[in-house]
Amino acid sequence: MSTPPSPPAPFVDLTSQARSVARLAEGVREDQLDASTPCPDYAVRHLLGHLVSLSVAFRDAARRELGPTTDTSPGSSLPELPADWRVALPGALAEMAEAWRDPAAWEGETRAGGVPLPGAVAGLVAVDELVVHGWDLARATGQEYAPDEAALRASEALLTPVEDPAADPTEQSVTEDPAAEDPAAKDSAAKDSEDSAGDPAGDASSGAGLFGPPVPVPDGAPLLDRVIGLSGRDPGWRA
């Protein structure tokens, strides 16, 4: 069997991060399914259901198999947890990661949650979904969490606000972000992520994180805390 080609930089291989989330899901106990999570209105069962549906949606978005899975916004109701989720979720995560290993997935246009997105932006949103919701699941169930470094940095690049060139430079913070080569695409991700991701945590409007208004973190905070703060979550949240 031939080895599939690796996507060219700066594209991200989702395999390690998908496996990390699958391991977290495996560690969830049945008595934790109704526990609260950092996602407003989501219990652990809803978060797991959301992970199943988003994995399928972004898998199909990568494959350009556009239809109900890519065109339906999951934000209209709480996600349902399939009875076979312990098998369905790791399988969907693996298929999603494999689909985004195809360089063609990062090119052209696709859809997620009914929102048209450039392939490269959809891929980064998929990465960010796994990073942030992996943290959600770990915190909600009391598990250790060590996300993939490349995925974590891709999330930081996606979530870091793009400077307004019309603003007073003395009032702007300088962001050295070599991965953010396309501010327009990045703005598109920030604007449309709420619909494509189906996350109920807030409106990703201008100046807000993908899941809600950014939460300030101390200078020198770990990269994971900074990313979680940029996503609109409190890094100190505990179940």
Side-chain angles (χ1 to χ4, degrees), residues 18-57:
R19 288 173 177 168
S20 177
V21 174
R23 285 192 296 269
L24 290 170
E26 184 179 8
V28 176
R29 305 189 311 268
E30 291 296 317
D31 64 349
Q32 293 177 315
L33 291 178
D34 292 320
S36 60
T37 76
C39 304
D41 302 324
Y42 270 21
V44 169
R45 67 172 62 253
H46 303 129
L47 177 57
L48 289 166
H50 180 57
L51 281 165
V52 173
S53 61
L54 78 84
S55 297
V56 171

Side-chain angles (χ1 to χ4, degrees), residues 187-209:
D187 283 340
S188 174
K191 179 179 179 182
D192 294 332
S193 173
E194 172 70 15
D195 292 326
S196 64
D199 194 286
D203 180 12
S205 58
S206 179

Side-chain angles (χ1 to χ4, degrees), residues 147-183:
D148 175 69
E149 180 75 13
L152 188 58
R153 294 198 175 279
S155 289
E156 180 190 33
L158 181 71
L159 294 170
T160 300
V162 177
E163 294 178 7
D164 181 357
D168 183 346
T170 63
E171 297 178 356
Q172 297 180 28
S173 60
V174 177
T175 302
E176 295 181 0
D177 182 5
E181 297 178 354
D182 188 350

Side-chain angles (χ1 to χ4, degrees), residues 21 46 76 86 100 128 143 147 180-181 185 212 215 218 228 238:
V21 174
H46 303 129
S76 57
R86 290 194 182 274
W100 285 101
D128 186 66
Q143 299 186 67
E181 297 178 354
V215 175
I228 294 305
R238 300 282 179 181

